[in-house]
Amino acid sequence: MCSSIVGSGLGGLLAEPVKNFPGTFARDGLFDHFPFLLPNLISTGVVLFSLVIGFLFLEETHEQKKDRRDAGLELGQWISDVFRARSSQPTGYSKLAEAHLDETTYLTHDVNLADPEYRSDDENSEATIVEHDPEAASKTPALGTGKVFTTQVVLNIVAFGILA
Amino acid sequence: MSIFPYIYYMIKSFNIASTDKEIAIYAGMVTSAFAFAEFSCSIPWGKLSDRIGRKPVLLTGLAGTGLSMVVFGFAQNLTVALIARALGGFLNG
């Protein structure tokens, strides 16, 4: 719906620029031979801009393809790291000394957890607890109307408003 | 949708229609070409995105839309304008 506001406004403003803005656009120039080129060029510019941003920062939402190595996303991460002037290591954490690791790494060293002997007979084992999560997730309370307009949603609306 | 304000004048500048009624018919054709092409292609695009992922399909859709807009801007006759709009609809995803 926003698209009809900004999109058509932009289209109407920029169509036939030689006729509407004779001072700015020369006669017999490119825009005289193609009077309807200017609004399309501006729209194409917006589309190309969003293409670049999408290539660099858009995350894959498809569940099975999510873990695929994404060159564009890595490039975008590198660019944002450059602008934030921060190293890519997480802050506040330092590596544990070697001695502390020995306790936990050797605890399950010789044990194969897939053996039938080690499988739990208890009904309240870890495996069943995980299944409760989707049920709990579906019962999350509905958001109020005000909270629906996150930054992402607003940006999407603005982009559609300019594009279409 | 951004072509709505000037599509009438564009068809008029092609000098193919003699009456206002004919101009309106051609303008309707150009406008609906986009919607019809998009309607016929959106489900295959969805299936493709299930196979190759959302991001490639979204980005090719954007690129195709941009290309179709440039071709539409350079259109000097009805055929090219129709093709450009249909192309935009096909590639919009």
Side-chain angles (χ1 to χ4, degrees):
Chain A
M1 307 312 124
C2 277
S3 60
S4 305
I5 303 173
V6 179
S8 12
L10 203 67
L13 183 70
L14 299 172
E16 291 184 308
V18 174
K19 207 190 285 181
N20 297 327
F21 305 105
T24 325
F25 297 96
R27 296 230 155 252
D28 279 338
L30 179 70
F31 294 116
D32 201 10
H33 291 295
F34 302 104
F36 300 99
L37 178 62
L38 187 60
N40 287 293
L41 268 186
I42 303 289
S43 301
T44 310
V46 173
V47 165
L48 282 179
F49 175 70
S50 61
L51 185 67
V52 169
I53 296 286
F55 180 68
L56 290 177
F57 300 111
L58 189 64
E59 289 169 8
E60 179 66 61
T61 48
H62 192 286
E63 280 162 6
Q64 281 135 22
K65 304 278 187 284
K66 216 188 263 192
D67 302 318
R68 195 168 52 181
R69 188 168 174 264
D70 192 348
L73 211 54
E74 288 176 15
L75 190 63
Q77 189 63 43
W78 179 80
I79 290 176
S80 48
D81 282 344
V82 164
F83 277 109
R84 281 187 212 148
R86 195 192 295 165
S87 69
S88 49
Q89 272 190 356
T91 56
Y93 295 95
S94 53
K95 281 187 179 174
L96 289 173
E98 287 276 349
H100 291 281
L101 283 175
D102 288 347
E103 288 178 36
T104 47
T105 42
Y106 292 145
L107 204 59
T108 52
H109 181 65
D110 288 319
V111 171
N112 184 4
L113 287 171
D115 279 341
E117 321 178 298
Y118 294 101
R119 248 182 240 151
S120 171
D121 292 336
D122 193 3
E123 282 180 4
N124 292 330
S125 65
E126 297 270 332
T128 53
I129 289 174
V130 172
E131 285 175 55
H132 287 303
D133 280 342
E135 287 179 20
S138 64
K139 286 179 188 156
T140 51
L143 291 171
T145 356
K147 285 187 191 165
V148 172
F149 287 103
T150 62
T151 321
Q152 285 281 352
V153 171
V154 170
L155 280 178
N156 264 320
I157 293 176
V158 170
F160 270 112
I162 299 177
L163 261 184
Chain B
M1 251 180 269
S2 64
I3 73 162
F4 286 170
Y6 58 83
I7 185 67
Y8 173 84
Y9 300 103
M10 191 172 189
I11 305 284
K12 205 169 175 187
S13 75
F14 291 159
N15 291 321
I16 46 167
S18 38
T19 63
D20 274 353
K21 193 171 98 177
E22 285 182 30
I23 294 178
I25 292 174
Y26 292 128
M29 272 168 62
V30 171
T31 315
S32 57
F34 180 86
F36 185 71
E38 193 171 8
F39 158 75
S40 40
C41 265
S42 57
I43 293 180
W45 274 119
K47 285 187 186 166
L48 184 68
S49 83
D50 279 338
R51 274 200 291 146
I52 65 173
R54 313 284 182 235
K55 187 168 173 179
V57 169
L58 274 175
L59 294 182
T60 37
L62 270 179
T65 307
L67 178 72
S68 78
M69 279 191 210
V70 172
V71 173
F72 185 72
F74 280 112
Q76 292 277 22
N77 51 44
L78 183 68
T79 321
V80 178
L82 268 177
I83 289 175
R85 288 301 279 177
L87 193 73
F90 281 132
L91 295 174
N92 207 22

